[in-house]
Amino acid sequence: MFRSEWFKIFHNKQLLVGFILVALLPAIYGVIFIGSMWNPYGKIDHLPVAIVNLDQPVSNVKVGDQLVTGLKKTKALDYHFVSQKTADKGLKNGDYFMTMVLPKTLSKQVTELGTSYAKPINLSYTLSTGRNYVASKMVTSAAGAIQVQLNQTITTSAMTALLTKIEQSQAEQAKVLSSGIPYAEYQAFAGPTPQLPSAKSLIDPVKLVRHDISPVPNNGTAITPYMLSVSLWTGAIVLTNLFSLRKFKRRGNAFDMWFSKFGVLIPAGILQGLGILFALDRVWHFHQKEILATILILFLTSLVYLSLIGLLNMLFNQFGTVIALVFMFLQLSVSAGTYPLKLTSPFYQTVHPWVPMTYAVDGLRHTISIGGLPTNDVLVLSGFAIIFTILIIVMYAFKGNKFVVQPTQ
């Protein structure tokens, strides 16, 4: 029996090819998926963030300009020095993962350090965690590094400003004393000589103030758009194998053949999506900002997946499922479900806009965490669904007889 099974494999080309492909699936998955996250932390300098420098220099104290010059030299992140309007728009659209504003009074506050009227120096940065949870963690760490750098810049600037004041005061004193005016009279008129502040007032004078336009409560919520997309793809593979698009008792017109299959597959796909949401809500008390929009994205995603995988099965029979698995591996790698796309290689960035899972993940991120209806994702997913549906109907129109199963079979 053992030898007969191997004999079947090696004497049936289709079976042999299928055997080899299935055997290689783990290797294909490993190479594609692991490659997409091979060294993300080594590419953090590719993450785009916006720096808005509103600081107005005071005399020779230019803290904002000094920090900007330092950031340009470090290149720890992909810094963009832009206006407030550009920064806000870019963060909302996903062009930037963080915006940081250097306040208008930054230099003025530095010159006031050590005085009785000094105010806290707050450095505001804004995230959009719903856009990418991992990226937000990365840029938050970077914000801390900028805080350290700014504290060092401020300490230097504050000391320079105070030393300048002391030198000026001492020069005035010397001039007054040389003119014969009693020192006591001068001091009563000019006030006390500036003193160096205590070291404590110059240690970490800057405090970070965090804002988030799309907060995410936990990692589970953050990963949900990605895992929902994967779950629907897996469900579509199972459904299209249970209800084969290749088997009919009789020939009908192309649309009737399509409707007879998808009239079953679409409701099943919708139930899968609703089932996932219900389970998450009951078990983990999961919530989303736009529940109706979430259901719409799940419906479109399920329709696209069922149509694409069904089309692959129609074209390649049992190998269609294998191809669907390989394509799933590719989509897992290029859809930016975990790490930001900017941290992957050019190959993944090129393929990213051409796969449906990209728009499923992005659409669900909007409806779950960011808010609003992701019009672009809806349109693209609808486009995919229409194209794949038309191709299936065309195949039934021209190859319909091929899928009719004879009574003897």
Side-chain angles (χ1 to χ4, degrees):
M1 293 175 66
F2 171 77
R3 297 177 69 178
S4 66
E5 291 300 322
W6 281 105
F7 182 85
K8 288 179 184 178
I9 292 173
F10 283 103
H11 288 79
N12 185 318
K13 289 184 179 180
Q14 285 190 340
L15 192 59
L16 179 60
V17 171
F19 178 82
I20 294 172
L21 284 175
V22 171
L24 290 176
L25 279 179
I28 295 171
Y29 175 68
V31 170
I32 295 176
F33 188 65
I34 296 174
S36 69
M37 54 179 74
W38 188 251
N39 186 27
Y41 288 91
K43 299 177 180 178
I44 293 181
D45 59 328
H46 293 178
L47 281 180
V49 300
I51 305 295
V52 181
N53 182 16
L54 302 178
D55 182 39
Q56 295 180 351
V58 175
S59 186
N60 63 333
V61 180
K62 304 176 181 179
V63 180
D65 291 342
Q66 286 179 277
L67 179 62
V68 167
T69 300
L71 293 177
K72 287 180 178 178
K73 290 179 180 178
T74 60
K75 297 181 179 179
L77 294 169
D78 181 17
Y79 295 114
H80 295 252
F81 303 95
V82 298
S83 67
Q84 182 78 67
K85 182 178 179 180
T86 300
D88 293 342
K89 183 179 179 182
L91 183 67
K92 184 178 180 181
N93 294 339
D95 298 328
Y96 305 125
F97 289 102
M98 177 182 75
T99 64
M100 179 172 284
V101 179
L102 308 183
K104 186 184 298 184
T105 59
L106 180 58
S107 290
K108 182 175 182 293
Q109 288 179 276
V110 169
T111 63
E112 295 172 350
L113 285 176
T115 67
S116 59
Y117 50 86
K119 295 180 180 179
I121 300 177
N122 293 325
L123 184 63
S124 297
Y125 70 101
T126 306
L127 309 170
S128 180
T129 305
R131 180 75 59 177
N132 192 288
Y133 191 75
V134 175
S136 295
K137 294 291 185 183
M138 290 178 168
V139 294
T140 296
S141 298
I146 294 175
Q147 178 192 21
V148 171
Q149 186 172 347
L150 184 55
N151 277 327
Q152 293 172 347
T153 301
I154 285 176
T155 299
T156 303
S157 298
M159 293 301 296
T160 301
L162 287 166
L163 287 172
T164 299
K165 285 183 179 180
I166 291 172
E167 289 173 359
Q168 290 173 347
S169 178
Q170 290 174 340
E172 288 179 6
Q173 288 178 20
K175 184 177 179 181
V176 168
L177 292 174
S178 64
S179 66
I181 299 175
Y183 179 74
E185 290 183 18
Y186 165 77
Q187 194 173 35
F189 175 76
T193 302
Q195 300 294 318
L196 287 174
S198 65
K200 185 178 178 180
S201 68
L202 291 180
I203 295 175
D204 298 334
V206 176
K207 306 302 177 185
L208 287 177
V209 179
R210 171 182 168 135
H211 304 280
D212 200 330
I213 63 173
S214 57
V216 175
N218 49 56
N219 187 62
T221 302
I223 203 69
T224 295
Y226 186 49
M227 297 315 300
L228 286 179
S229 300
V230 177
S231 299
L232 288 178
W233 185 271
T234 306
I237 290 177
V238 174
L239 284 175
T240 51
N241 276 275
L242 285 176
F243 301 97
S244 174
L245 275 67
R246 297 177 59 89
K247 295 181 179 179
F248 293 86
K249 290 183 178 180
R250 61 182 179 82
R251 179 76 158 87
N253 69 60
F255 180 80
D256 287 344
M257 294 177 76
W258 172 85
F259 186 75
S260 68
K261 296 297 183 180
F262 279 85
V264 174
L265 291 174
I266 291 175
I270 293 173
L271 285 175
Q272 285 183 339
L274 293 177
I276 296 171
L277 288 182
F278 180 78
L280 288 174
D281 177 66
R282 295 294 92 189
V283 177
W284 299 115
H285 307 293
F286 170 78
H287 298 287
Q288 59 273 332
K289 286 190 174 182
E290 312 284 351
I291 186 168
L292 293 179
T294 298
I295 293 172
L296 173 62
I297 295 294
L298 290 176
F299 163 71
L300 290 173
T301 300
S302 181
L303 178 57
V304 171
Y305 290 177
L306 288 168
S307 300
L308 175 54
I309 296 171
L311 181 62
L312 290 173
N313 287 339
M314 291 173 68
L315 289 169
F316 304 105
N317 203 355
Q318 67 265 36
F319 296 123
T321 300
V322 177
I323 295 171
L325 284 171
V326 174
F327 193 54
M328 182 181 74
F329 301 157
L330 178 65
Q331 292 189 101
L332 289 174
S333 307
V334 306
S335 60
T338 51
Y339 288 99
L341 188 67
K342 292 285 186 179
L343 304 185
T344 62
S345 69
F347 166 76
Y348 297 97
Q349 295 182 37
T350 301
V351 178
H352 174 76
W354 298 100
V355 300
M357 194 175 287
T358 290
Y359 303 95
V361 171
D362 187 66
L364 289 170
R365 277 178 174 159
H366 275 82
T367 63
I368 291 171
S369 300
I370 299 174
L373 180 66
T375 306
N376 181 66
D377 297 314
V378 169
L379 291 175
V380 174
L381 287 171
S382 299
F384 275 127
I386 291 170
I387 291 171
F388 297 144
T389 298
I390 290 173
L391 289 174
I392 290 173
I393 293 174
V394 168
M395 277 204 69
Y396 282 144
F398 290 93
K399 300 286 186 179
N401 291 330
K402 180 182 177 181
F403 304 124
V404 176
V405 178
Q406 301 300 323
T408 55
Q409 293 178 289

